[in-house]
Amino acid sequence: MAKIAFILLCHKDPDAVINQAQSLTAVGDCMSIHFDARAPRAQFDTIRDALKTNPNVTFATRRVKCGWGEWSLVQATLHALHAAVAQFPDATHFYMLSGDCMAIKPAQYVHDFLDRRDVDHIESFDYLTSDWIKTGWREERLVYRHWFNERTQKKRFYAMFELQKRLGLTRAIPGDITVMIGSQWWCLRRQTVESILEFRKQRPDVMRFFRTTWIPDETFFQTLVRHLVPERDIDSRTLTFLMFTDYGMPVTFHNDHYDLLLSQDFLFARKISAEAHDLRRRLGVLYACEGARFRISNEGRSLFTFLTGKGRTGHRFAPRFWETESTLGRERDLLIVLCRKWHVARRLVDCIRTSTGLPCIGYLFNDESCALPDLGGIQDSMDKRHRHRRALLRMLYEHYDSDRLLICLDPSNLDLIEDFCRDRSVTRLLEIDCDFSDRDLIEHAMRVGLAGDGTPPETLARLLPTIRNDMALETDTLRDRNFAHHSRLREADPPARNARAIAAFLDCSEPIAGALATTDQLFAE
C-alpha cells in the first residue's frame, strides 16, 4: 500500500503548518518540511517544537533563503527530499506541497489512487515545442544565465540579460537532455526520487546549467524525470488542482468552495486562503475520513471562467480587418432565430422550411455538428466560421441561389447579433422566449460545460440562480439594443399574438404564420 512522504515548502503561518503536518501524518503518512530561511527563526522554532514528538515529521537538512524564479526553490526541495529519503525508508511516494495546499480527498482515496498505477505523476511537456508557456520569454530562460532575482533585483536581472544578449554570450543546453516544463506540484515514486538524487551527484554539468536558468522549479524535476524514467511510467498531469486568473495569478479558494473542490478529479488543491478557517477545518478533518464516496464532475475550471466573465464582458465595435468593406449585400435578407432551447428553434425552423421553402441553417455558429454544404473548408471548424462569418454567409446565399437565408443563434452571441444587424443587408430577429424549469437550467449547464453528471446537488443549487440571472441579463441587454425588425414569440402568449410576430419576421401571409404559431408540441421538451 502507498505510503506518502509529503515534501512541504512553506514560509509563513506556523500554526497552519503545524495543523497541516498533524492532519496529513495522523493516518500514517509522513512529512519533510522546509521552512524558508527568510522567515524569522522564532517561527521555525515554533514549528519544530510543536512537531518534535511526531515521528512522522522531519525537517530539511538545511534551510535556504528562497526567492521566486530562483534555483533556491529547487535547492530547498532537494534538501527536503534528502531528509525524507533518509528518515522514511518505507515511503513509496513523495508528494510536493506548499503551505497553501490541502487535501481534497481522504487518505484512503489518495492511497488507493496511487496504488492503482505504478507511475510518476508530473506535468512534463517539451519546453521548446509545446504551448505551456503562453507569453513572455522561452529560449531566453535557458540560453542566458540568470544570477539575480527578477522581482527583488529587477535592474540587475535585466542589465545582465541585456549585456549577455549584446555580447552574444549564449550557452548550449546539455546535449543529452531534452528540457521539459510543467507544474512544480508533482508526486514521484521512491525509485524516481533516488535516481534524481544520484543523477545530481553524477552530472555536475546539468546542475550548473539549471542553477542559472530562470524559474527552474518548472523545468528541473520535469526534465530529469523524463530523462531517467520511461515514458510509459509517467502520467503527465499534476494531482494538485490549481487555476490561474486572466492576469496569471493563482486563484484562491474560500469557505464556499468546499463542494466544488471535492468534486474535482484531483487529490490536493492550492491555494487555500489563510482566512478560510472553516474550509481549512473541514478539509483537515476530511483526510482522516473512511468510506467517503465522491461524485467527480470536474467542472471547476469552466465554472470559474463562466462566473469571472460576468461583469467584464468586452464588446467589439469595429469590424475585423478581413471584414473591412465586406457586406452580405443590400439586396439580401438575413433572418435570425434566437432561442436558448435549441430543440424548440430547430422544430420551428423545420416547419418554416417546409411551409415556405426558405433556406434554413441551424446553429452554425454554436454547434460544430451543424449540417453545412461543402464550401471549400471554411465550414470545417467553429474558429473558421466565426473568423470568416460574412464570407461564410455570402457563400451560403450563393449555394442556395437565394437572397433570403434563415439561421439560428444562441442569444448569448450578442457580438454576432450586433455585427449582423450593422450590416447593409436587412436583418430580422425572432426571439423565442421559453419558460425554464430548474431541470432545463441544469441541462443547459451540462451542455455548456458548467456542470457534469457528477456535480453535487448543493453546487447546482448555488449555480442555478446565477444562470437564471445571466439569462435575464442577456434578454434585457438584447432588448436594450433596440434592434430594428426585432420580433418576440413567447411560450406564454396566445397563438394569435405569436402569429403576428412570425408574420412580421418572415414577411409572410397570416395563414402561414398562424399555422406555424400552432405547430404541434412546439415548446415540448
Side-chain angles (χ1 to χ4, degrees):
M1 180 178 177
K3 180 173 181 177
I4 305 171
F6 293 104
I7 307 302
L8 180 66
L9 263 59
C10 47
H11 64 280
K12 61 180 180 180
D13 200 348
D15 291 339
V17 173
I18 294 167
N19 292 335
Q20 189 177 19
Q22 291 173 337
S23 172
L24 294 178
T25 61
V27 295
D29 289 321
C30 41
M31 178 176 287
S32 178
I33 300 174
H34 178 277
F35 194 72
D36 195 337
R38 295 184 189 278
R41 176 74 188 194
Q43 293 188 0
F44 176 64
D45 291 339
T46 298
I47 296 170
R48 191 171 55 179
D49 290 345
L51 299 173
K52 63 183 178 183
T53 59
N54 189 332
N56 289 336
V57 174
T58 191
F59 293 88
T61 53
R62 178 184 169 195
R63 292 176 67 203
V64 177
K65 292 183 178 179
C66 297
W68 183 87
E70 292 182 3
W71 168 256
S72 55
L73 289 173
V74 178
Q75 187 67 70
T77 306
L78 290 171
H79 286 326
L81 278 173
H82 271 295
V85 168
Q87 187 69 25
F88 309 119
D90 55 346
T92 62
H93 294 77
F94 296 79
Y95 198 122
M96 179 79 171
L97 294 175
S98 76
D100 295 323
C101 296
M102 293 199 72
I104 56 175
K105 298 293 186 296
Q108 183 182 46
Y109 184 105
V110 173
H111 294 156
D112 290 345
F113 182 95
L114 297 177
D115 284 336
R116 281 198 293 272
R117 296 178 62 203
D118 185 24
V119 296
D120 295 306
H121 298 274
I122 181 170
E123 271 192 356
S124 53
F125 302 99
D126 190 287
Y127 185 94
L128 296 176
T129 62
S130 73
D131 62 350
W132 201 87
I133 298 176
K134 302 300 183 185
T135 59
W137 285 358
R138 186 180 292 267
E139 292 186 13
E140 292 88 345
R141 293 195 194 184
L142 307 179
V143 300
Y144 296 105
R145 298 166 180 84
H146 304 280
W147 291 283
F148 300 103
N149 186 291
E150 192 271 343
R151 291 189 174 179
T152 61
Q153 299 172 293
K154 192 176 292 288
K155 289 185 178 180
R156 291 181 178 179
F157 179 90
Y158 287 105
M160 290 303 301
F161 167 72
E162 292 297 337
L163 179 62
Q164 293 177 80
K165 186 177 179 181
R166 188 163 56 250
L167 298 178
L169 299 178
T170 59
R171 59 176 177 174
I173 299 171
D176 61 330
I177 68 170
T178 300
V179 178
M180 311 297 288
I181 191 167
S183 168
Q184 71 180 106
W185 312 109
W186 39 253
C187 179
L188 303 178
R189 298 168 297 170
R190 185 179 192 91
Q191 60 266 36
T192 301
V193 169
E194 291 175 343
S195 296
I196 290 173
L197 296 179
E198 183 62 28
F199 181 90
R200 182 191 180 198
K201 300 175 183 177
Q202 296 175 354
R203 294 295 301 273
D205 60 320
V206 175
M207 301 304 293
R208 283 195 301 271
F209 172 77
F210 279 106
R211 282 180 188 276
T212 51
T213 59
W214 190 40
I215 320 181
D217 52 300
E218 294 179 349
T219 56
F220 178 78
F221 290 99
Q222 296 77 1
T223 300
L224 265 57
V225 171
R226 282 285 178 179
H227 184 74
L228 299 169
V229 178
E231 184 175 359
R232 66 177 180 275
D233 293 338
I234 301 173
D235 186 349
S236 187
R237 62 163 290 196
T238 176
L239 300 180
T240 299
F241 179 60
L242 65 160
M243 297 190 296
F244 291 89
T245 68
D246 293 346
Y247 306 100
M249 300 301 293
V251 173
T252 300
F253 298 107
H254 298 277
N255 289 332
D256 56 349
H257 289 131
Y258 180 79
D259 292 326
L260 180 142
L261 291 176
L262 265 59
S263 66
Q264 305 312 304
D265 190 19
F266 294 86
L267 306 183
F268 283 75
R270 76 177 304 267
K271 306 174 76 170
I272 309 299
S273 171
E275 284 74 41
H277 302 297
D278 186 57
L279 178 60
R280 285 181 169 271
R281 178 188 60 78
R282 296 175 73 183
L283 292 178
V285 172
L286 175 71
Y287 197 67
C289 290
E290 295 184 4
R293 300 175 64 87
F294 298 90
R295 298 172 62 185
I296 304 299
S297 62
N298 227 26
E299 80 284 1
R301 290 191 172 94
S302 59
L303 184 60
F304 174 78
T305 301
F306 167 75
L307 293 175
T308 55
K310 301 303 137 187
R312 54 183 177 84
T313 303
H315 299 293
R316 182 172 61 87
F317 294 100
R320 294 180 169 91
F321 71 90
W322 56 80
E323 294 175 338
T324 302
E325 299 303 323
S326 175
T327 177
L328 301 181
R330 291 183 185 276
E331 73 284 359
R332 287 173 169 161
D333 289 354
L334 178 63
L335 287 74
I336 304 177
V337 173
L338 306 171
C339 187
R340 294 182 186 86
K341 288 189 177 181
W342 293 6
H343 62 280
V344 174
R346 287 169 176 151
R347 195 174 293 146
L348 177 63
V349 167
D350 286 342
C351 293
I352 292 174
R353 183 187 297 110
T354 302
S355 301
T356 67
L358 182 67
C360 300
I361 304 291
Y363 286 87
L364 73 167
F365 293 109
N366 302 105
D367 184 4
E368 191 87 49
S369 63
C370 177
L372 290 171
D374 185 356
L375 301 173
I378 194 174
Q379 79 288 348
D380 286 346
S381 71
M382 195 63 68
D383 181 62
K384 287 183 179 179
R385 296 180 197 177
H386 278 262
R387 192 186 316 153
H388 308 294
R389 61 186 71 165
R390 297 191 184 186
L392 173 64
L393 291 183
R394 287 200 306 272
M395 294 174 76
L396 286 171
Y397 281 113
E398 294 167 3
H399 175 82
Y400 290 111
D401 191 21
S402 172
D403 290 333
R404 304 188 82 208
L405 180 68
L406 186 151
I407 67 172
C408 298
L409 279 180
D410 192 279
S412 62
N413 296 125
L414 188 60
D415 61 330
L416 287 176
I417 299 168
E418 289 184 320
D419 195 16
F420 291 138
C421 286
R422 284 196 300 267
D423 194 85
R424 297 172 185 171
S425 62
V426 176
T427 302
R428 300 177 184 275
L429 307 178
L430 178 64
E431 179 188 357
I432 303 180
D433 190 354
C434 302
D435 297 335
F436 279 86
S437 65
D438 286 351
R439 181 70 248 172
D440 293 330
L441 295 180
I442 292 172
E443 291 175 355
H444 170 79
M446 291 181 176
R447 187 174 70 244
V448 299
L450 299 178
D453 292 334
T455 302
E458 297 83 2
T459 301
L460 288 173
R462 286 198 297 269
L463 181 60
L464 292 185
T466 302
I467 297 176
R468 193 178 293 279
N469 291 337
D470 184 59
M471 288 183 171
L473 179 61
E474 285 177 359
T475 299
D476 291 341
T477 303
L478 189 64
R479 292 167 193 168
D480 288 343
R481 292 295 188 270
N482 293 317
F483 293 120
H485 311 296
H486 181 184
S487 304
R488 290 181 62 202
L489 186 153
R490 300 177 68 244
E491 182 174 358
D493 282 352
R497 181 176 296 176
N498 286 336
R500 290 194 293 272
I502 294 174
F505 173 65
L506 294 176
D507 192 19
C508 66
S509 65
E510 291 186 6
I512 292 177
L516 292 171
T518 56
T519 298
D520 188 40
Q521 299 294 306
L522 175 59
F523 294 98
E525 297 302 325

